Amino acid sequence: MQTEYQAHGGELKQLYLNDELVEKEKEQAKKLASWDLTHRQICDIELLLNGGFSPLEGFMTEKDYDSVVNGMRLVNGVLWPMPVTLDVDQSFAEKISLGDEIALRDEEGVIIAIMQVSDRWTPDKNLEAEKVFGANDHTHPAVSYLFNQAGEVYLGGKLKGLSRPSHYDFKMLRDTPAELQDKFKKWGWSKVVAFQTRNPMHRAHQELTFRAAKQVEANLLIQPVVGMTKPGDIDHFSRVRCYEHLVKNYPEQTTTLSLLPLAMRMGGPREAVWHAIIRKNYGCTHFIVGRDHAGPGKNSQGEDFYGPYDAQNLMNEFKEELGIEMVPFQMMVYVEEKAEYQPVDEIKEGETVLNISGTEFRLRLAEGLDIPDWFSYPEVVKELRKRYPARHKQGLTIFFTGLSGSGKSTIANALLNKLMEMGDRSISLLDGDVVRKHLSSELGFSKEHRNLNIQRIGYVASEITKHGGIAICAPIAPYRSTRREVREMITPLGGFIEIHVATSLEVCEQRDRKGLYAMAREGIIKEFTGISDPYEVPEKPELSIDTVNCTPDEAAQRIILKLEGMGYIK
Ligand code: PPS
């Protein structure tokens, strides 16, 4: 099927205004209602404005969104597998009338673009999850994002670009689609195969890319994603330093490295098609799709969301109209007898296959264990060890949650003292009452305020963890989604263990140390957790402690043993 986009030769849709207009519009834009773009929206808008998402001309309209969700095509028939929408909260959406222009600002308040709002709608998120990601399962990062972070209303409309989102890191490695296309032209690279990754690259990846480039006789573009990847992934700073080491091992003039500021959705097959379209916009002719491309891992039943080669199959379905060719690859494994890497389907009987999975690799880093040279280059491993020291050298957050009077503060205090006695770590205690005095004195106990309080605690704990300290937090933290948010914020930076102080409501109320339960029963204190406000019991805490059966000393000991078992203290 020949599409309108292809009929135009698939040209780049760059949405920036010229300099003269920018100055004029900037003045006007200051008076408009403005929306502060989220991190994901900043990633999206960068690729919308620079043509990486051509042929899109703005955040999707409702019709395009429906058509993409249900049939992977824009209304005009062009293949496009992923919704790219501007999600906002209800109160902002209510301020806007259709036809209004709004200013879209980055984290520093700079106006990046003006959007003329042509559409506003409340999406059916269940349908979006089912259709786009194949399952309404919150263990899928994009589904979790959709329900826990994305706003409830979507706005759509065309964009006028005023400024480029700023990046201060790795500037030499950042190219717009037009810049990369120009480079390819200048270098005489008429065939370019792109490799997408969100992980550090090791020898297996290098071998795979070598083979792919040889197979189609093309130059190679290593284009790792540095926008947003799967929560818990290795940060892009460390990864890019690894790629810089690795790229030196390719023959000169054959390979280049360029960073892609994409926010991945981990959408497997649909995402593979999306990645391919983006790479076509960057001037590539071929795109490598390996095993489990952009896979989100396991679902809540412990099964893979997508089959390992679903992405390749979907790519094949659209191969006539994609405008970029897939180079499919099987997983590469190391054959000991041959001392080389081979695709897993080419292994002969009797050959010894060695492989270190991503999980095993992370474990070896965490435990400070050996990582063999056949697996990775020593410079790459050194980089990763610098960023991911063995667990007992990492920062850590110990997050208590439980009802008022359950014993959180007492156990936290006992633990603090025992850890201080050990003496080799700096420790901060963020107790519920203390935080409310110093960090959150203006907040009450509505759901919104409680969440804000926990987010603040999470933020401080994440900073402590990042710097190698131990943060002990002891708030009630009654909401599961906020606790998960804190976990997701901290795990990329160090350890996180959640401890449910599971003392029952009856016992807490009976103890009533502060006399609050009595006041809550009388209605003097409103929104009191357990009495007139909810407490969502943790589903999978690392530890659960009921203070009816153990003393504070015993509870603290149990935690110390747990920390030792997990490798966080030695
Ligand atoms: S939350 O939900 O996590 O923000 O709560 P938190 O900041 O941990 O609460 C700290 C202490 O506030 C007292 N307090 C209340 N708790 C629950 N509900 C209501 N309405 C309320 N009003 C005051 C209570 O003593 C909490 O301390 P702990 O140490 O948990 O008993």
Side-chain angles (χ1 to χ4, degrees), residues 40 44 81 113 138 148 177 283 294 296 366 384 387 485 494 510 543:
R40 178 154 114 178
D44 285 353
H138 287 224
N148 298 311
L384 294 172
R387 178 65 187 81
E485 214 180 294
Q510 209 177 2
L543 207 60

Side-chain angles (χ1 to χ4, degrees), residues 1-13 54-55 57 76 78 181 280-281:
M1 174 172 152
Q2 174 82 337
T3 63
E4 194 186 325
Y5 175 48
Q6 284 169 325
H8 284 88
E11 94 272 19
L12 283 180
K13 287 258 161 73
S54 298
E57 293 179 40
N76 63 7
V78 172
Q181 287 193 16
K280 177 178 66 176
N281 288 330

Side-chain angles (χ1 to χ4, degrees), residues 254-502:
T254 62
T255 302
T256 193
L257 171 65
S258 183
L259 311 181
L260 183 68
L262 174 72
M264 288 180 72
R265 313 313 204 230
M266 309 310 301
R270 277 199 187 223
E271 179 124 359
V273 174
W274 193 37
H275 287 176
I277 296 170
I278 296 166
R279 269 42 182 238
K280 177 178 66 176
N281 288 330
Y282 273 87
C284 302
T285 52
H286 294 76
F287 182 58
I288 300 172
V289 180
R291 192 183 180 280
D292 193 28
H293 189 99
K298 307 268 182 222
N299 64 20
S300 52
Q301 310 303 311
E303 290 153 7
D304 288 333
F305 274 95
Y306 314 115
Y309 297 104
D310 284 3
Q312 293 183 356
N313 295 338
L314 192 69
M315 287 283 292
N316 266 327
E317 264 181 51
F318 296 117
K319 96 178 185 208
E320 300 307 328
E321 60 178 304
L322 259 173
I324 180 167
E325 217 176 289
M326 168 172 63
V327 185
F329 257 91
Q330 295 259 337
M331 194 169 78
M332 300 294 289
V333 288
Y334 187 73
V335 183
E336 198 173 25
E337 290 80 6
K338 293 185 177 152
E340 66 172 26
Y341 278 91
Q342 282 198 325
V344 74
D345 59 337
E346 289 176 23
I347 303 301
K348 307 222 166 46
E349 226 186 284
E351 285 179 336
T352 319
V353 162
L354 301 180
N355 190 26
I356 295 180
S357 68
T359 316
E360 165 76 12
F361 178 70
R362 276 191 288 276
L363 193 81
R364 287 186 187 217
L365 280 182
E367 308 275 333
L369 299 174
D370 179 52
I371 292 163
D373 280 0
W374 61 261
F375 180 75
S376 195
Y377 289 100
E379 311 87 84
V380 171
V381 174
K382 197 168 151 200
E383 241 2 291
L384 294 172
R385 284 207 198 278
K386 230 175 14 186
R387 178 65 187 81
Y388 294 91
R391 234 175 239 150
H392 66 277
K393 290 185 186 156
Q394 284 176 20
L396 167 71
T397 291
I398 303 166
F399 193 94
F400 290 93
T401 167
L403 296 171
S404 171
S406 57
K408 301 181 300 289
S409 307
T410 313
I411 304 173
N413 204 26
L415 178 66
L416 172 80
N417 279 281
K418 288 190 197 296
L419 290 173
M420 297 282 267
E421 189 184 324
M422 292 176 166
D424 57 351
R425 303 287 275 272
S426 69
I427 310 165
S428 298
L429 175 58
L430 300 165
D431 194 20
D433 280 333
V434 178
V435 167
R436 283 206 170 257
K437 191 162 155 209
H438 295 292
L439 268 185
S440 296
S441 56
E442 86 287 17
L443 299 184
F445 288 87
S446 63
K447 181 171 186 181
E448 195 192 352
H449 278 194
R450 286 179 194 265
N451 285 345
L452 199 53
N453 182 39
I454 301 308
Q455 281 158 349
R456 287 177 187 174
I457 295 176
Y459 173 71
V460 176
S462 74
E463 287 294 309
I464 293 169
T465 305
K466 186 162 87 189
H467 293 288
I470 297 181
I472 303 177
C473 313
I476 298 175
Y479 297 107
R480 220 172 268 148
S481 65
T482 327
R483 293 193 301 257
R484 183 172 49 220
E485 214 180 294
V486 171
R487 184 188 283 271
E488 282 172 4
M489 191 177 2
I490 292 173
T491 36
L493 306 168
F496 184 88
I497 83 162
E498 183 176 327
I499 300 173
H500 179 207
V501 184

Side-chain angles (χ1 to χ4, degrees), residues 30 34-37 42 103-112 163 166:
K30 286 180 191 158
S34 78
W35 173 253
D36 294 336
L37 294 162
I42 288 177
L104 304 178
R105 294 176 189 262
D106 71 6
E107 284 140 341
E108 292 168 15
V110 176
I111 303 175
I112 300 295
S163 350
S166 54

Side-chain angles (χ1 to χ4, degrees), residues 65 87-88 122-133 135-136 143 145-154:
Y65 166 79
D87 58 284
V88 299
T122 302
D124 179 346
K125 292 190 176 182
N126 293 317
L127 185 80
E128 183 176 334
E130 283 289 350
K131 292 271 185 184
V132 179
F133 302 110
N136 193 354
V143 176
Y145 186 95
L146 188 61
F147 285 96
N148 298 311
Q149 276 165 273
E152 53 275 41
V153 181
Y154 289 176

